[in-house]
Amino acid sequence: MSDYPRDWVFDVVLKDGGTTRLRPIRPEDADGLHRFFRRVGSDSVYQRFFRAKSDLTPEELQYFTNLDYSERMAFVAIHEDEIIAVGRYDRLEDQAEIAEVAFLVEDAHQGRGIGTLLLQHLTNYARSQHITGFRAYVLADNRAMLRLFRDSGYHLQRDLTEGIYTVDFPTSYSDAARSAEWDRERRAVAASMMPIFYPQSVAVIGASRSPASIGGRLFKNLLAAGFTGPLYPVNPNAPVVNSVKAYPTVVDIPDPVDLAFIVVPAPYVAQAVEECAAKGVRGLVVISAGFSEVGDRGRVLEGDVLEIVRSSGMRMIGPNCMGVLNTDLDVRLDGQFGPVFPPAGNVAMSSQSGALGIAILDYARQLNIGISTFVSMGNKADVSANDLLLYWEDDPATDVILLYLESFGNPRRFARLARRIGRRKPIVAVKSGRSSAGARAASSHTGSLASLDVAVDALFHQAGVIRTDTLQEMFDVTSLLANQPLPDGKRVAVLTNAGGPGILAADALASRGLELPEFSEELQGRLRSHLSPEASTRNPVDMIASAGPAQYQACLGELLETDEVDAVMVIFIPAAPEGTDEIVTAIAAGAREHEGTKPLLTVFMHSQGAPSGFREAGVPSFPFPEAAAGALAAAARYGAWRRRPEGSMVRFDDLEITEARTALEAELGGVSDDGGWLQPDTVDRILSAFGLPIAAAATADSEDEAVAAAAKIEGPVVLKVISPSAVHKSDVGGVALDIQGEEAVRAAYRTVTAAVSDPRGVVVQEFVAGGHEVIVGMTEDPSFGPLIAFGLGGVFVELIGDVAFRIHPLTDLDASEMISQVKSARLLEGYRGGEPGDVPALEETLLRVSALVEALPEIVEMDLNPVKVLPPGRGVRIVDARIRVRRVTGAFVPSRKDIPAVIRKIRWDPPQGG
């Protein structure tokens, strides 16, 4: 038996919103498999085995549960510690790359999407074992199984013979299969969240008569908000809570309960969760603290609670959270213990911090930002920001999504979801942790330039997430996005009654990449017709202090209707106590008259803040021009992201993946547990296998071998010392350039080997003259996965720091943007008469590096530095390359992609002998 695939244990969401656990079958499952088979109906057994079968023999049980995981694989679905489904494959003896696949699902759990998920996980595993196709034999009347294969997005070939279909389909991950998986994920996770956001009934376990306690405040909030369903307090020491009959336990409640809030001390939470499972509760919000946030003991308690939640098919917010709320009039759920129930609106919000959640709700109310739903995630042991994104994606009450994040559960899944959802709904995030404490020490140029915050910025940029540094900025942007359309471009008009603030606004807008175009004579003429002769109409439009309501409303109308600008900022400084209300009314009237034409922001510069007239008209107002400019710039960048093409994954047909893996594995056995750098020859073989152009080179262990190698290259060469201690060879004098002739080669050999204490020969390489020196690199972030880097500068890359990062995998658009993002990119365009570079070839190099990183997950760091970008049409040439690898544990090479519908991936260590 081969090694057990220990990483392949998953908690998954089913299409009805329930959950189950998928894991490989193991020998000790024989009794459970026997019980499962006896519960399955006779018709289901017949469809699986093509004959009536009343039992499994001991020999069959042993065969089904003892697997060679490289030849045969089976996943089981577990619910309440019992097997409820099995999916398996066996390689065909005459076709090693094809495997026969079969499924059996307990009748009571059919129709929940378990078979589809088993097929998905079997297919993922089969790819890791180099199985290229599945074959299934299906009775002609087994429509459910045929539908399962068809709806999974794979291209099927069917052949009907004697009432049995032979169904063949590839295991390759097609676009259709990926789309089908993502669609199932979206629907399943959204369904699992419905009992939390739209419960028919609610229980509060730990409801208290004390108004100062958390349980008392939570129960009071639920009552005060007018929750539309029955509300049950659970308190074994009180017959009544707030005039509502109480129950000793949730099990004693005579009617069904959808959602339970748990507010009891941490040691009693597991018992309460078990009682909820017995009651059939579908959603939990665990307010109680004292779990993973307090250390190891709390982590154990949290793990116990989560195990009960998962085995019972429930979903859970928390623990250690503030609660949830839903302002929809159909539910009016105020399930949190804070003092604020915000106004209803179109903004959904989650906070990983409970204390900040209270402040956020209070601030939202002050700014009149309407909330659709709010979630305090706490420790997010189960429900995460990714789950909430999937729920909000199709929530008709939500138009804008706000996130306060302290950490990511699955950053790659977040990036995939945010990139899709952000095309329809803006996502605004405050991500804490920008400090240098997040940076990692690394031995490569790429690794030393990367940090946690670099990874977050790259993720948010690719996914279109609007990142703000502070909560204030988050609300500034949100007040605009929630009430105004997105700008179609960068052109802004400023309308003001004071020249100074207009200048401040112009500076603030320009510094954030926005433009203030000078208006046409025609538009200026229309503006002048409403203003006094002293006014300026070029942009900013300074109406001077005497401007009144009529001037504001008329000029605002002209600017909102013109096609010369994409957004309008109105500034008002009250010059006298009188007339303010009239001007506010005029601006609000102009906004309503031209609603939806283009975004409108106001700056009301007064210590008492903006009047209510602006909020009532849906016009965001700011105290200073700089805040308004920041919000508008963020909205403009997001609008540009939505308008741009999505980019596509580029697949290369000339990759020699087997050759690269052979070269890697030949050296991998000698690599330590901490990883190590590959030898130059191995690096060259791997790069060549992926079509990455490297300069001609050979290794030499002596002067004579170096001379012979140089003679084969014909022309100037470079000598580089091979040395474990010389990470950056040029820093220690271990590189000699433009060497030609036997004596020069011998002298260079002696020089570079003398530069280190542990020389192991040299690399003799073709000297590539001219071109622009760039770096292409990769480093593995422990949370975000591979980060791919590009920058100009060669040996000066760390000094200059002009580098762009993206999270793997790259699209064609990512590669193009990485090159254009660096400040020195104009050098590649032929800046000031210089020679341009072959940018298309450089883009292809980035995409091939991404393909290499995907195929060989053992790679943890890579430096291609320098890469010479030659003139247009001549391509690029890699001059120096280093790759660091580490062994991947387990029976297979795991994919770098996240798997849809998985809420938690669990590492499980089997018993000895398993």
Side-chain angles (χ1 to χ4, degrees):
M1 183 183 299
S2 65
D3 289 341
Y4 192 94
R6 289 180 285 270
D7 288 332
W8 281 73
V9 183
F10 304 95
D11 287 326
V12 296
V13 185
L14 306 177
K15 70 179 186 180
D16 62 0
T19 65
T20 192
R21 176 166 294 172
L22 301 184
R23 62 165 173 79
I25 203 166
R26 56 199 193 199
E28 56 269 32
D29 285 326
D31 289 342
L33 185 65
H34 200 192
R35 292 192 301 271
F36 158 71
F37 185 84
R38 289 181 170 182
R39 293 194 305 271
V40 175
S42 58
D43 185 62
S44 297
V45 170
Y46 184 83
Q47 297 283 6
R48 164 65 177 86
F49 291 98
F50 298 0
R51 60 189 175 91
K53 188 175 178 62
S54 60
D55 205 353
L56 295 175
T57 67
E59 292 77 16
E60 287 174 321
L61 289 171
Q62 182 178 12
Y63 176 81
F64 286 144
T65 55
N66 286 264
L67 303 181
D68 180 340
Y69 297 107
S70 63
E71 299 296 319
R72 301 167 53 230
M73 186 59 181
F75 278 96
V76 291
I78 305 294
H79 179 69
E80 295 182 346
D81 296 326
E82 288 288 345
I83 295 173
I84 59 172
V86 181
R88 64 175 61 250
Y89 74 70
D90 293 76
R91 284 187 194 263
L92 300 182
E93 292 183 1
D94 57 339
Q95 293 177 275
E97 294 183 351
I98 305 297
E100 180 183 344
V101 64
F103 302 89
L104 184 60
V105 180
E106 188 176 332
D107 295 55
H109 294 277
Q110 291 177 8
R112 305 182 67 199
I114 297 174
T116 300
L117 286 167
L118 286 170
L119 173 62
Q120 172 187 322
H121 285 70
L122 281 172
T123 305
N124 287 334
Y125 185 83
R127 282 195 293 268
S128 75
Q129 300 299 314
H130 310 295
I131 292 173
T132 60
F134 274 165
R135 176 171 296 167
Y137 297 100
V138 184
L139 291 174
D141 63 348
N142 192 349
R143 295 181 180 84
M145 188 57 61
L146 291 171
R147 184 168 57 251
L148 181 152
F149 292 134
R150 184 185 67 243
D151 293 348
S152 293
Y154 295 97
H155 179 69
L156 307 181
Q157 291 183 335
R158 296 187 297 178
D159 178 31
L160 180 63
T161 304
E162 296 183 354
I164 299 176
Y165 279 109
T166 301
V167 182
D168 287 297
F169 57 95
T171 61
S172 57
Y173 202 43
S174 67
D175 290 340
R178 181 183 294 109
S179 178
E181 287 184 10
W182 290 353
D183 185 61
R184 285 195 301 273
E185 173 192 41
R186 176 177 55 83
R187 295 176 184 274
V189 172
S192 75
M193 301 300 295
M194 288 299 289
I196 294 175
F197 288 119
Y198 282 92
Q200 298 297 308
S201 55
V202 169
V204 179
I205 303 172
S208 173
R209 292 182 293 186
S210 170
S213 69
I214 291 178
R217 283 148 50 195
L218 174 66
F219 191 74
K220 181 182 178 181
N221 283 349
L222 286 163
L223 283 173
F227 173 61
T228 55
L231 185 60
Y232 305 104
V234 175
N235 187 328
N237 302 313
V240 174
V241 176
N242 281 15
S243 301
V244 181
K245 176 179 170 56
Y247 297 87
T249 72
V250 70
V251 178
D252 295 314
I253 298 172
D255 299 313
V257 175
D258 275 349
L259 174 64
F261 292 86
I262 298 179
V263 198
V264 298
Y268 302 102
V269 169
Q271 178 183 344
V273 173
E274 284 184 337
E275 292 169 350
C276 287
K279 180 64 179 175
V281 174
R282 299 178 60 197
L284 298 175
V285 179
V286 180
I287 307 293
S288 309
F291 292 91
S292 60
E293 79 278 5
V294 300
D296 292 340
R297 183 176 180 182
R299 273 189 285 274
V300 172
L301 285 175
E302 189 170 299
D304 292 342
V305 168
L306 185 61
E307 186 64 30
I308 301 168
V309 169
R310 293 290 168 74
S311 65
S312 304
M314 296 186 285
R315 297 307 308 268
M316 176 179 69
I317 303 287
N320 183 36
C321 74
M322 172 189 162
V324 302
L325 61 83
N326 184 353
T327 61
D328 191 325
L329 293 176
D330 288 337
V331 63
R332 291 194 62 83
L333 180 73
D334 188 5
Q336 49 89 32
F337 57 82
V340 177
F341 188 67
N346 62 346
V347 177
M349 186 184 308
S350 78
S351 171
Q352 202 168 331
S353 165
L356 270 178
I358 295 174
I360 285 171
L361 289 179
D362 184 46
Y363 201 77
R365 182 177 64 175
Q366 290 181 28
L367 293 176
N368 200 38
I369 293 177
I371 302 298
S372 58
T373 48
F374 171 85
V375 180
S376 166
M377 292 186 293
N379 295 356
K380 57 178 186 177
D382 178 30
V383 172
S384 68
N386 293 333
D387 297 307
L388 296 174
L389 286 176
L390 285 165
Y391 173 78
W392 287 326
E393 179 175 8
D394 291 325
D395 178 22
T398 295
D399 295 322
V400 181
I401 298 169
L402 304 188
L403 305 173
Y404 170 76
L405 300 170
E406 294 173 355
S407 63
F408 290 94
N410 186 332
R412 300 177 214 182
R413 186 176 178 223
F414 177 91
R416 169 172 61 82
L417 297 177
R419 190 183 299 213
R420 183 182 77 218
I421 296 167
R423 291 283 168 181
R424 296 171 49 204
K425 301 180 179 183
I427 301 171
V428 186
V430 174
K431 170 66 179 71
S432 59
R434 281 188 176 271
S435 68
S436 59
R440 285 192 307 120
S443 53
S444 69
H445 289 295
T446 307
S448 65
L449 290 163
S451 68
L452 174 62
D453 203 53
V454 163
V456 173
D457 275 339
L459 184 153
F460 284 174
H461 178 88
Q462 287 170 270
V465 175
I466 302 169
R467 183 176 189 178
T468 63
D469 293 332
T470 66
L471 292 173
Q472 173 71 58
E473 292 176 5
M474 180 177 76
F475 280 109
D476 287 345
V477 175
T478 302
S479 64
L480 174 60
L481 295 173
N483 296 288
Q484 296 291 315
L486 289 173
D488 291 330
K490 299 179 178 181
R491 303 169 303 166
V492 184
V494 175
L495 181 67
T496 177
N497 67 340
I503 296 172
L504 290 175
D507 289 343
L509 291 165
S511 68
R512 290 164 173 80
L514 299 176
E515 303 166 2
L516 273 78
E518 183 173 339
F519 298 144
S520 66
E521 284 297 330
E522 180 185 356
L523 177 56
Q524 290 192 52
R526 294 200 302 269
L527 292 168
R528 275 194 295 268
S529 69
H530 304 296
L531 299 173
S532 65
E534 295 81 9
S536 172
T537 58
R538 298 177 64 184
N539 194 20
V541 178
D542 182 2
M543 300 185 296
I544 70 173
S546 61
Q551 286 74 31
Y552 264 104
Q553 187 168 353
C555 291
L556 177 58
E558 297 285 0
L559 296 176
L560 288 174
E561 288 296 331
T562 182
D563 60 1
E564 295 185 24
V565 296
D566 304 302
V568 178
M569 180 188 297
V570 176
I571 302 174
F572 175 55
I573 297 181
E578 303 81 15
T580 295
D581 291 343
E582 289 79 3
I583 288 178
V584 170
T585 299
I587 296 172
R592 292 190 183 96
E593 183 180 352
H594 302 279
E595 185 176 2
T597 55
K598 54 176 60 76
L600 169 64
L601 307 83
T602 62
V603 177
F604 188 81
M605 300 183 71
H606 194 277
S607 61
Q608 295 181 2
S612 61
F614 288 147
R615 293 196 298 270
E616 293 166 1
V619 179
S621 189
F622 303 85
F624 300 107
E626 292 81 3
L632 184 57
R637 287 192 299 271
Y638 171 67
W641 178 85
R642 275 185 42 165
R643 290 190 299 272
R644 74 176 190 174
E646 292 192 36
S648 58
M649 306 300 298
V650 178
R651 294 178 173 84
F652 298 98
D653 297 329
D654 60 346
L655 306 184
E656 299 177 1
I657 298 177
T658 302
E659 163 65 15
R661 178 153 291 284
T662 299
L664 172 65
E665 291 178 350
E667 195 172 331
L668 200 58
V671 172
S672 69
D673 293 340
D674 295 332
W677 295 97
L678 296 177
Q679 293 298 315
D681 286 349
T682 304
V683 171
D684 287 355
R685 284 180 64 189
I686 291 173
L687 296 179
S688 297
F690 277 80
L692 289 161
I694 56 177
T699 57
D701 294 332
S702 66
E703 290 183 22
D704 290 340
E705 289 184 8
V707 169
K712 289 181 180 179
I713 291 175
E714 298 181 353
V717 296
V718 176
L719 271 69
K720 304 174 185 177
V721 69
I722 301 173
S723 164
S725 64
V727 177
H728 304 304
K729 295 177 282 292
S730 59
D731 292 350
V732 297
V735 178
L737 302 174
D738 198 8
I739 306 300
Q740 195 163 12
E742 179 177 344
E743 290 305 316
V745 171
R746 292 183 182 278
Y749 183 93
R750 292 191 294 270
T751 299
V752 299
T753 54
V756 297
S757 60
D758 55 349
R760 297 185 180 179
V762 299
V763 173
V764 181
Q765 185 182 67
E766 166 194 5
F767 177 64
V768 181
H772 298 276
E773 289 193 353
V774 304
I775 178 175
V776 175
M778 167 265 175
T779 185
E780 177 93 23
D781 184 276
S783 298
F784 292 83
L787 287 172
I788 296 178
F790 166 76
L792 275 77
V795 296
F796 301 111
V797 63
E798 289 177 48
L799 176 64
I800 299 171
D802 188 16
V803 181
F805 282 88
R806 292 292 184 274
I807 290 175
H808 165 82
L810 300 183
T811 66
D812 55 352
L813 184 62
D814 291 329
S816 176
E817 283 191 342
M818 288 178 74
I819 296 171
S820 62
Q821 179 181 331
V822 299
K823 298 180 181 66
S824 49
R826 293 182 63 188
L827 295 172
L828 298 173
E829 301 170 359
Y831 179 68
R832 303 192 77 169
E835 193 171 66
D838 194 337
V839 174
L842 182 56
E843 292 176 357
E844 181 178 328
T845 298
L846 287 165
L847 294 170
R848 286 182 179 273
V849 166
S850 185
L852 169 59
V853 169
E854 177 68 23
L856 302 180
E858 294 88 350
I859 297 175
V860 291
E861 282 187 84
M862 180 192 308
D863 263 356
L864 311 182
N865 182 37
V867 177
K868 289 290 190 77
V869 185
L870 302 176
R874 292 179 54 189
V876 304
R877 198 70 66 87
I878 298 168
V879 174
D880 195 21
R882 302 169 59 248
I883 295 177
R884 190 169 74 86
V885 297
R886 53 91 175 90
R887 289 194 296 270
V888 174
T889 59
F892 67 101
V893 177
S895 170
R896 295 194 189 270
K897 302 181 181 71
D898 69 286
I899 301 175
V902 170
I903 31 179
R904 184 169 178 243
K905 184 175 181 180
I906 306 161
R907 185 175 182 87
W908 176 76
D909 292 315
Q912 293 296 320

